Every structure is written in C-alpha cells, then in structure tokens.
Amino acid sequence: MKLIVLPLTFVLMVLPGLVIAADGPITIEPQIVTDWKSVYGQVEAKNTIAARAQLSGTITELDVTEGDNVTAGQTIAKIVDQTLVYQIGAVDAQINALQAQLGNAQAELKRGQDLMARGVSTSQNVDSLQTQVNVYEGQIAAQKAQREVYQQQEKYGTVTAPIAGKVVSVPVTKDAVIMAGETIATIGGGGFFLRLSVPERHADTLKQGDTIMITDSDGKEIEGKLAKIYPQIEGGRVQADVEVPDLNARFVAARLLVKLPMGNRQTIVVPASYIATRSGLDFIRVKDGDRTYERTVVPGVRANLDGQEMLEILTGLNPGDVVVPHE
C-alpha cells in the first residue's frame, strides 16, 4: 500500500501561563511547536478472514453481499455437489441388496439350527451359515459408514462466517461452479483501525502510545493512539497501526488524513494580524521604550491557536522584543 506523503505542518502548543492578546503589546517569548507530518492512512479491519468452500460444486444459495454484518457461525452460502447425491443413492441400493441377502442368510441359519437340534445337520454346516450372516452384517455396516462419509461431505457444502464482522467482498455469484478452497466471502472483524505507511527516515521519531491527529470523513479532527509499529521495513516504509475511538468504518480501505508528531522545537509566533505586507516585504511594529518603529521579518507557516490565527517568525524578532499591532 503506497501512501501519499504531504509537506510538514505544525501545531502550536502554548507554554503554561502564557497568554497572547491580539489587541495590545506582546513580549516575545519562545513557544513550543510540534512538527507534524501529514500522511494518508487506510481504514482496515484488525482481522480479515476468507470464508472458503470446503466442497467443489455449484453455489445454490448465497445469503450475503458486500457491506452486510454477520455473526460467527452464520450460514452465508450453500454448495451442492450432485455426484454426492448419486453416490448416496448407489450406497442405499447396495444396503438394500445386502439386507435382502442377510434376511435369506438368517433364514438359512435358523433352518440349519433346527436341523442340528434334530440331529439331521452338523455343527460345521451351522457355523458356515453363521459366518455368512456375519459377512452380510459386516458389509451392511461398511456401506452405512460409507453413506455417513458422503453425508458429512454434503455438510461441508454449508459455508459459515468464521468471525463476526462486516462482509468486505463477495467474489462469487449464485449458480457459479467453484472448487474446494475458493473464497466465497472476505469478512473483516475484530474492530477497525488505521494502517499507516511512513518513510523509514521518520521511523525513529514514532513512539508507541503517541497521540495522532486524524481528520475524519466529516472534516472533524479526532485523536487516535499509535498502537503498534511493525519492525519490518518494506519498500523504504514502516507500517504502523493507529487505534481510533468510534472510527467510521462504513468504507473499508477509505483514506483519512493523519498527522504524525515528528518532535517538538522552540520558535517565535505572533498573531497574523500584527504583520503588515507592503511591496512584497513583511513588517511588524516593535516598541522600544517610548519609541515605536517597523522591523522587517521573515514569516513562516500559519497555524490556528484557540481560534486565533498565528504566524511563525523565522527571522527578524528576538526573545524579549515587544511588538504592537498596526494602527
């Protein structure tokens, strides 16, 4: 999965006790800024399992489609192998024939026993008849066992959901002929998370448990937690999972904008309204005692702090300077 990496952005974090007023003098103090890298994460299920056919045959029933919610053990499809029906019929015919032969052998055995009781027949003849009865009974038992094998194979035609979750894909249709082992439906369960792919040069900055900012499908920013960082690097990227409470999993594999913390640094920020731009240059008013003058500054990125638009100053201001808004 290749993700698009966006430019670095930042979010301002105000030092404890520092209040910025946008309508009066401000004494410049360094503030803590968190650098964030923006990437796209994909919504994925924690467990994705394929419900596979155990029997070759024709799909006679298909009870699910993409997006359906299923429970573990729920019947989702039925497969019929017509040859099993014929094999069971052949076994039933064999059993009927053997039962007829058994009945005849049992009658012969009873007559032999009666003749031996009157001294007309020998015990050897009776033993031979008894053996014949036992052979037929054994053959019937073997055929019944074979019939149970075919019946069990028929039961394999019922495909059930291996886990509870959402049906992600159904690559087959009703009346299709499939082979054993083919996928009937893919089910995602166990909850949903965001899967990230981060360039390996940023891998050392990621820490399990970090707070991750996510922009959901409604445009709202929500917080998540970096739950797992995979140790294997593939294609120069590190895979990571982010747990998000109440993640909208309506669309599996949907991409959401994610901001990863890359570390903190100190910088100078001022309200954007304190900057005036003229002739392509940016100016800010600096107060030095009773004197006020303009100083050229080089601004950086903009950010929003408690509803107030702030601007990072790269050069032109120093800690301790007092700035005032333009009149």
Side-chain angles (χ1 to χ4, degrees), residues 49 51 69-76 159-166 187-190:
I49 302 179
N69 293 316
V70 295
T71 58
Q74 176 181 333
T75 299
I76 62 176
V159 182
T160 59
I163 57 173
K166 178 179 290 188
I187 300 171

Side-chain angles (χ1 to χ4, degrees), residues 8-53:
L8 283 173
T9 58
F10 70 82
V11 172
L12 300 178
M13 300 174 61
V14 182
L15 291 171
L18 181 61
V19 178
I20 296 179
D23 56 357
I26 297 175
T27 301
I28 297 301
E29 296 181 19
Q31 298 184 45
I32 295 176
V33 171
T34 300
D35 286 325
W36 301 77
K37 174 167 283 297
S38 297
V39 301
Y40 277 105
Q42 282 192 342
V43 178
E44 294 189 9
K46 291 184 177 179
N47 302 313
T48 302
I49 302 179
R52 300 183 183 275

